[in-house]
Amino acid sequence: MAKTDKIAAATVLAFEKKLVPSDGRLYGAQWDKRHEAAEPLKLQEKSVRGTISNRLKKALQDDPAKLDAEVEKPNLQTVDSCALGSEQDTLKLSFSLKVLSGVEKPSACNSAEFAASYQQAADAYIQAEGFKELAKRYATNLANARFLWRNRVGAERIEVVVSVRNEGQQTAWTFDSKAFNLKDFDHNRSDVAALADKIAAALSGQTEFLLLTVDAYAQVGQAQDVYPSEELVLDKGNSKSKKSKILYHIDGQAGMHSQKIGNALRSIDTWYPVDEDNPFIGPIAVEPYGAVTNLGKAFRTPKAKADFYTLFDRFARGGELSQTEQHYVMAVLVRGGVFGESGKD
């Protein structure tokens, strides 16, 4: 493809996401009967008396009497919680995942010239790579149950069953999730490869779409707490609820946000720059600036010329990118989003 630097970047540019998970629903079960019977989990409300544990001002630290008075204050909280039943030792999380094609066509673009140049580059990538590497990583994140998040920690056994729902014959795979290393994607498992082939075919347009159902089973222990998504309360001051923690539910059943499941599935970026200030921490979610919010860090900065916009502008105009840079750019587009110029200064 000829390089076309003179083409101006589109100021209005958007892509629809191509991995579309549903919300997840949480159930309780017994491991030996996990495929036969599972009951929807409900949220429970608790009122607890906590202690003051935040960092105190120096004046309080230096005055024992004031410190005693401060820590004696009750820290009263009302919180949501969720736990397995007294006879249950296994969490079941169920959701569906739709994989779509058409990443080579923006859903909005105000420059026909730029759109044509980008489509030529995307078509070349699809022809050369066929989304095989990305599909392998998405399939691995389904198989390893990364989407269980905190529920994965301390589980004795984890099983994931992935089923194809939009084909005439039933196709399903069962994975032992504990057998996978969460730090990399270096494996040659035939069952993951078979699932990846289905995902790659949908992303590249060989099939119209792919619809999967995913059932994950984690043996976490009898009556143990489990962890649905937590709701973000933007205006706590005006909130009618007195709760300090509000968990997500779907018609009363404990649930996990589709955004949280999607974040886990697209945690495939191991290609970000690594140095002493930017150590390798394993796969991170595909983001334009490699943002990892719980660490307060961006792993892909414009200064390092590793961010999405630097690479995408070069890619869309026919410039040269390494294979891993192309994988990253296309993974961001599979993620979807609005990539035009911001109106804010």
Side-chain angles (χ1 to χ4, degrees):
M1 177 179 173
K3 188 175 180 181
T4 52
D5 287 332
K6 294 182 180 180
I7 297 177
T11 56
V12 176
L13 185 65
F15 290 82
E16 295 175 349
K17 60 184 176 182
K18 303 306 178 186
L19 291 183
V20 189
S22 70
D23 282 340
R25 294 175 180 263
L26 275 60
Y27 303 82
Q30 294 179 342
W31 181 262
D32 294 336
K33 300 177 181 178
R34 62 192 182 279
H35 297 144
E36 289 78 42
E39 298 179 3
L41 291 178
K42 306 294 184 182
L43 301 182
Q44 303 163 355
E45 189 175 286
K46 292 181 179 180
S47 295
V48 297
R49 184 184 191 278
T51 59
I52 301 296
S53 57
N54 58 286
R55 189 186 296 272
L56 299 174
K57 295 180 179 179
K58 194 173 188 308
L60 292 175
Q61 296 178 28
D62 295 340
D63 189 327
K66 290 182 178 180
L67 178 58
D68 288 342
E70 185 69 20
V71 298
E72 283 179 2
K73 294 178 181 178
N75 183 17
L76 305 178
Q77 302 177 53
T78 301
V79 299
D80 279 340
S81 66
C82 187
L84 299 176
S86 58
E87 302 299 322
Q88 299 171 342
D89 66 353
T90 299
L91 168 69
K92 176 184 177 183
L93 172 65
S94 297
F95 64 94
S96 64
L97 175 67
K98 186 173 287 188
V99 185
L100 304 173
S101 60
V103 74
E104 70 278 8
K105 297 179 181 179
S107 58
C109 181
N110 66 345
S111 171
E113 190 178 17
F114 184 87
S117 176
Y118 160 72
Q119 183 168 350
Q120 188 177 353
D123 287 341
Y125 174 86
I126 294 172
Q127 185 174 358
E129 302 291 341
F131 285 103
K132 291 181 180 179
E133 180 60 28
L134 300 191
K136 176 185 178 181
R137 296 182 176 223
Y138 296 138
T140 301
N141 280 343
L142 287 169
N144 66 22
R146 193 186 297 274
F147 51 81
L148 284 176
W149 291 99
R150 188 178 176 185
N151 297 296
R152 201 183 188 284
V153 179
E156 183 176 351
R157 289 181 282 189
I158 304 176
E159 177 187 82
V160 173
V161 180
V162 181
S163 305
V164 177
R165 292 301 185 192
N166 64 316
E167 295 182 349
Q169 59 182 10
Q170 188 64 259
T171 305
W173 301 270
T174 300
F175 302 99
D176 174 8
S177 301
K178 299 282 281 187
F180 290 84
N181 182 356
L182 290 179
K183 288 288 187 179
D184 60 53
F185 300 93
D186 296 332
H187 62 80
N188 293 298
R189 295 185 48 141
S190 58
D191 49 358
V192 175
L195 174 57
D197 286 344
K198 299 283 188 183
I199 296 173
L203 288 173
S204 60
Q206 297 176 32
T207 57
E208 184 181 1
F209 70 96
L210 176 67
L211 180 61
L212 303 172
T213 57
V214 182
D215 296 310
Y217 304 89
Q219 188 179 22
V220 297
Q222 191 170 356
Q224 280 287 309
D225 280 351
V226 295
Y227 305 99
S229 289
E230 185 172 350
E231 296 283 59
L232 176 62
V233 181
L234 296 175
D235 190 357
K236 293 184 179 180
N238 294 328
S239 175
K240 295 180 180 179
S241 174
K242 300 295 184 181
K243 295 179 186 177
S244 58
K245 182 168 72 172
I246 301 174
L247 299 180
Y248 180 56
H249 68 88
I250 308 165
D251 297 328
Q253 182 177 0
M256 187 170 288
H257 291 148
S258 60
Q259 291 85 348
K260 191 167 186 177
I261 294 173
N263 184 283
L265 297 183
R266 58 185 171 82
S267 291
I268 65 170
D269 184 5
T270 58
W271 311 298
Y272 52 89
V274 173
D275 55 37
E276 292 183 0
D277 297 326
N278 216 35
F280 182 76
I281 62 168
I284 64 174
V286 169
E287 294 286 349
Y289 296 107
V292 181
T293 54
N294 62 316
L295 298 180
K297 187 172 181 61
F299 284 79
R300 289 180 170 274
T301 63
K303 183 178 179 181
K305 299 187 183 302
D307 66 297
F308 168 73
Y309 293 99
T310 298
L311 298 176
F312 176 70
D313 286 349
R314 196 191 319 160
F315 173 78
R317 295 165 176 166
E320 292 296 325
L321 295 185
S322 69
Q323 185 182 48
T324 57
E325 288 173 336
Q326 291 182 54
H327 290 330
Y328 164 70
V329 167
M330 296 305 290
V332 175
L333 299 177
V334 168
R335 163 195 178 271
V338 178
F339 303 114
E341 293 183 359
S342 173
K344 298 180 181 179
D345 293 332

